[in-house]
Amino acid sequence: MLSAEPFVVAPRMWGVCGVISVLATAVAAATPAAQPTSVAGGRYLISQVGNFSVPVRPGYAELLPEVPGQLVLTSFGAAPFVGKNAVYLYGLDKGCGDACLQQLPGSEGINWPNAVAGLNSTAFGFPAVVVGNGFLVPSHTTGGVWIMEASAHPEHLPRPVKITKDKAEKLPDSGWFYHLAAPFDMNGDGRLDFVTARCQFGVWPWSKKRGELLWLQQPEQEPLSGAPWEEHHLAEGPDFLFCLQPGSPTLALAATEFIGERTVYYYMSNGTLQSRVLDEQSGPGFSCSWTDLNGDGRLELLATNHLNQNGSVFAYTFDGDDFSTAGVSRHVLASGFSAITTQTGTAGPGDAAAFQPSTGHRGKPYIFVSGDNGNDIFVLVPRSEDPGDWSYTRQKIADVKADVGRPAIGDTDGDGFADVFVPAYDLNKVLHYTFSAAPDAAMDALPIVV
């Protein structure tokens, strides 16, 4: 049974309601020097050190190990019928100048691209990205799963290839859309398949609202011919986002279900998918990820819900290694995340991501939180290193003055400290923040130089 813990600190579907040249002319804008913000705990400072413009409004940012030296961005316009789209690579080499931002050829034809996953060259013979597309906004509801070569000058796959068949009913805006496709060899044949969730969710009175978990089987020959891959139904329920459990030899994942307003653990047992409800009262689900939040050597599930007022960040802990049977407890790490208006379709928070502020950091990770339609960003700092203490200090870092998309976090310049790239959707910009050591920080907060 779920054990609800009282929260200690007050504390989306992404709530945002043309062809351009391959070589985009977005210019990195110098940001006036801003005073660094001292991060709770006194060990670090965070500063905005720059920003760059994006022709099509950015929604998701990713730093993928399969695409080194590049920030991957997906961008979309929310306007029905005329909204523009693009998938970009942003070079992290400071010497690239005006050529830093480049569009992947053909990505303007992917209607409302969402989250991306990376694929190394063992999958198809070249580095690639896979993206799900579509959303509940009218004219954008029919989506799919697309594969693209991860290059602005592709040599193997000149245009994106869709591996799904459109699914829609006769009524307008009755299509199914996809947010994410995760690579996983489902049948043990040595070829990567994709686990994905799709959703049918429209804004009209006749619109159905439902989700489905499925997997797409890679064919033995010509997987990128443009023919749809065979679909295999797994479960009803998962709709927008989910997260595969790292290290599991068979399929295991958590789904933060938006429509069902619950968090569910799905796992294979004797060749059949089983499910276990972890939280029946999570509210409309949004992001999730697996990470060791308290340093006990066991994974926890980090998740957010998505509410117009008083959204929350949760951690789910397990008292055993078999998550299908172990006792589970929910901890509210932070609450009070709200949209700036009460307009229908706006909500917060967005994504929550655990990270280490520096390569030399010792102790629990910090958590970066996107406010989504709250137009702000936050850092959650653990109040102690006690594995049983789930209290965090919630610190607002900035009012972005725009809807906030999915941030990407990593040390991109090799200085030993985390860089954070924040999509500011309404501003057509990505903001660049970086951590540094506070002047009187303890030595274990500093990067280790060998």
Side-chain angles (χ1 to χ4, degrees), residues 86-370:
V87 179
Y88 298 104
L89 298 181
Y90 180 78
L92 298 170
D93 178 0
K94 294 182 179 179
C96 59
D98 292 356
C100 287
L101 188 71
Q102 298 185 309
Q103 182 180 330
L104 297 190
S107 61
E108 68 277 359
I110 301 177
N111 186 355
W112 202 299
N114 293 306
V116 294
L119 302 166
N120 62 34
S121 58
T122 60
F124 301 114
F126 52 88
V129 293
V130 56
V131 61
N133 82 292
F135 197 47
L136 54 82
V137 175
S139 80
H140 300 288
T141 61
T142 301
V145 174
W146 300 74
I147 295 172
M148 292 171 281
E149 185 172 350
S151 172
H153 306 283
E155 299 177 355
H156 307 277
L157 195 65
R159 309 284 290 182
V161 170
K162 184 162 64 172
I163 62 171
T164 51
K165 182 179 180 180
D166 289 351
K167 184 176 181 179
E169 298 174 2
K170 293 182 179 180
L171 291 172
D173 297 313
S174 62
W176 293 71
F177 53 87
Y178 300 72
H179 264 71
L180 172 68
F184 193 86
D185 182 1
M186 286 291 296
N187 54 3
D189 64 359
R191 290 184 291 272
L192 280 180
D193 310 299
F194 290 104
V195 178
T196 188
R198 61 187 174 195
C199 183
Q200 186 182 38
F201 191 125
V203 299
W204 307 111
W206 62 77
S207 299
K208 297 177 181 177
K209 295 175 174 57
R210 53 185 175 174
E212 179 188 12
L213 184 71
L214 65 153
W215 68 278
L216 308 173
Q217 182 177 349
Q218 182 176 161
E220 294 183 7
Q221 297 180 345
E222 299 184 353
L224 303 180
S225 67
W229 292 14
E230 184 179 354
E231 297 180 357
H232 300 269
H233 171 83
L234 288 171
E236 305 288 343
D239 40 36
F240 293 93
L241 297 173
F242 61 92
C243 48
L244 298 187
Q245 180 182 333
S248 177
T250 58
L251 181 66
L253 60 90
T256 44
E257 297 180 6
F258 182 79
I259 298 170
E261 300 192 12
R262 60 181 191 167
T263 300
V264 184
Y265 180 66
Y266 292 90
Y267 61 96
M268 297 296 290
S269 178
N270 298 320
T272 303
L273 190 73
Q274 307 290 334
S275 65
R276 176 193 183 189
V277 177
L278 301 178
D279 189 353
E280 292 180 311
Q281 299 178 333
S282 63
F286 190 70
S287 78
C288 68
S289 57
W290 295 93
T291 190
D292 182 1
L293 290 170
N294 64 350
D296 67 352
R298 179 178 292 148
L299 292 173
E300 282 82 40
L301 178 64
L302 177 65
T304 64
N305 63 11
H306 200 59
L307 298 170
N308 179 262
Q309 300 293 310
N310 200 32
S312 299
V313 179
F314 303 120
Y316 297 89
T317 60
F318 301 85
D319 65 8
D321 294 328
D322 184 352
F323 295 168
S324 66
T325 58
V328 60
S329 299
R330 185 183 80 174
H331 308 269
V332 182
L333 307 187
S335 290
F337 299 97
S338 301
I340 59 172
T341 74
T342 57
Q343 180 180 348
T344 300
T346 62
D351 290 279
F355 71 102
Q356 297 291 0
S358 77
T359 56
H361 183 82
R362 300 292 180 266
K364 296 178 180 178
Y366 292 12
I367 299 171
F368 196 91
V369 182
S370 158

